[in-house]
Amino acid sequence: MTPNALARLREQVRCLERRSLPHSPSRVLPTGLKPFDDHLGGGLKTASLHDILLPDPLEIGASLALLLPLLAHSGWPVFWLGSVPPPLHAWGLHQTGISLRHLICVESDAASVMAVAEDILRGPERALIVIAGPRVPSLTEVRRLNLAAESSGNTGFFLRPVSSSCASRKDPCACATRWQITSHPSAPLCVPGQVLPLPGPRRLSVSLLRMRGGRPAHWLLDCPDHAPLSRPMASFLAHRASPALPARSLSARSPACRARA
């Protein structure tokens, strides 16, 4: 065995034993929202997995309002993985600051999604991955993805629907955090001289259901008061947003790439 091969083997053994990882274990991804970052100790931990639950398909815009700015602030390539094309609108992505050159949409068959996700997480280049779809991963699959993330320093997000809030608390979770983000009734604005109040700003109800080594929490966010969440939620969704730029302008800027596995 050559010295180089022996050195690579030793490095792989050290990563498996979690004694020497090629990244800083204390690194975090700031959300840009002070109440969140203070509670999380600076932000979401990298080299781990995070679970975002969708109690209603119509609430996907609320989850994207929090997730997409976080992905954009990282500055890293983003892999969006699922068995169907992602419901993302190019102009909404542009508004969040995500570079379309760094967004890779991977469409795979349902049986191969977890295997593809593990390969991406284990890759040598720093990246983020979003695993979208209805399938609930088993504990074994999540643990394999956790090991892949810890060995490389990459970070993964599950974005999946659930049948009810009860199911979100009962099904097994091996992720670092679990979230549920929904719309919340706005507070009315009372204007002097008007009999009826005006509709208040859009609100989000953000629940941190579980946190490894930490406490659950809940926040109500008035979106205009929080810059990362101030954009219209419909602008993120391909089936709801109207194009704000001509198709040629978007393609010239750098269209999102799609790969099929």
Side-chain angles (χ1 to χ4, degrees), residues 243-253 255:
L245 285 180
R248 289 183 180 179
S249 299
L250 285 176
S251 60
R253 286 177 179 270

Side-chain angles (χ1 to χ4, degrees), residues 1 19 25 35 40 74 83 86 89-91 97 118 129 139 142-143 150-151 169 181 196 211 219 225 238 250 253:
M1 181 178 292
R19 293 177 184 171
L40 296 170
S74 72
S83 56
H89 191 266
W91 179 237
E118 184 178 350
I129 178 173
L139 278 176
V142 176
R143 285 168 181 155
E150 290 173 357
S151 66
R169 297 178 183 273
I181 307 162
L196 297 178
M211 178 181 176
W219 298 272
D225 297 335
L250 285 176
R253 286 177 179 270

Side-chain angles (χ1 to χ4, degrees), residues 122-177:
R122 204 177 291 279
E125 300 295 333
R126 187 60 60 89
L128 303 175
I129 178 173
V130 178
I131 307 165
R135 183 172 175 272
V136 179
S138 67
L139 278 176
T140 300
E141 290 172 327
V142 176
R143 285 168 181 155
R144 287 182 63 92
L145 295 181
N146 262 319
L147 287 174
E150 290 173 357
S151 66
S152 65
N154 294 331
T155 306
F157 297 87
F158 287 105
L159 185 64
R160 58 188 183 86
V162 291
S163 57
S164 66
S165 59
C166 293
S168 71
R169 297 178 183 273
K170 289 182 178 178
D171 64 341
C173 179
C175 298
T177 61

Side-chain angles (χ1 to χ4, degrees), residues 181-201:
I181 307 162
T182 58
S183 301
H184 190 81
S186 63
L189 294 176
C190 296
V191 180
Q194 291 194 359
V195 178
L196 297 178
L198 298 177

Side-chain angles (χ1 to χ4, degrees), residues 34-35 67 78 81 92 95 102 147 189 207 209 212 223-224 226 247:
K34 191 176 186 303
L67 177 60
V78 177
L81 175 60
Q95 286 183 304
H102 294 158
L147 287 174
L189 294 176
S207 297
L209 302 177
R212 187 186 302 158
C223 295
H226 300 279

Side-chain angles (χ1 to χ4, degrees), residues 15-237:
C15 288
L16 289 174
E17 293 176 343
R18 305 185 197 180
R19 293 177 184 171
S20 176
L21 299 179
H23 59 88
S24 170
S26 62
R27 181 148 193 186
V28 295
L29 285 172
T31 65
L33 300 170
K34 191 176 186 303
F36 290 14
D37 292 338
D38 289 346
H39 186 83
L40 296 170
L44 294 176
K45 290 184 178 179
T46 60
S48 56
L49 300 175
H50 303 277
D51 202 14
I52 302 176
L53 305 180
L54 300 175
D56 187 325
L58 297 178
E59 295 288 1
I60 187 172
S63 296
L64 293 180
L66 186 66
L67 177 60
L68 291 177
L70 174 69
L71 301 178
H73 292 159
S74 72
W76 299 335
V78 177
F79 290 83
W80 195 285
L81 175 60
S83 56
V84 296
L88 300 176
H89 191 266
W91 179 237
L93 294 174
H94 176 72
Q95 286 183 304
T96 65
I98 293 180
S99 171
L100 298 185
R101 294 183 185 275
H102 294 158
L103 175 65
I104 302 95
C105 298
V106 183
E107 186 179 342
S108 175
D109 59 275
S112 304
V113 167
M114 293 303 160
V116 176
E118 184 178 350
D119 288 341
I120 296 173
L121 283 173
R122 204 177 291 279
E125 300 295 333
R126 187 60 60 89
L128 303 175
I129 178 173
V130 178
I131 307 165
R135 183 172 175 272
V136 179
S138 67
L139 278 176
T140 300
E141 290 172 327
V142 176
R143 285 168 181 155
R144 287 182 63 92
L145 295 181
N146 262 319
L147 287 174
E150 290 173 357
S151 66
S152 65
N154 294 331
T155 306
F157 297 87
F158 287 105
L159 185 64
R160 58 188 183 86
V162 291
S163 57
S164 66
S165 59
C166 293
S168 71
R169 297 178 183 273
K170 289 182 178 178
D171 64 341
C173 179
C175 298
T177 61
R178 169 172 283 177
W179 300 80
Q180 184 168 289
I181 307 162
T182 58
S183 301
H184 190 81
S186 63
L189 294 176
C190 296
V191 180
Q194 291 194 359
V195 178
L196 297 178
L198 298 177
R202 180 169 52 89
R203 269 184 168 180
L204 292 181
S205 172
V206 182
S207 297
L208 175 59
L209 302 177
R210 293 178 183 174
M211 178 181 176
R212 187 186 302 158
R215 297 174 291 105
H218 178 260
W219 298 272
L220 284 180
L221 298 179
D222 290 315
C223 295
D225 297 335
H226 300 279
L229 306 179
S230 60
R231 300 168 184 83
M233 291 185 287
S235 67
F236 302 135
L237 304 176

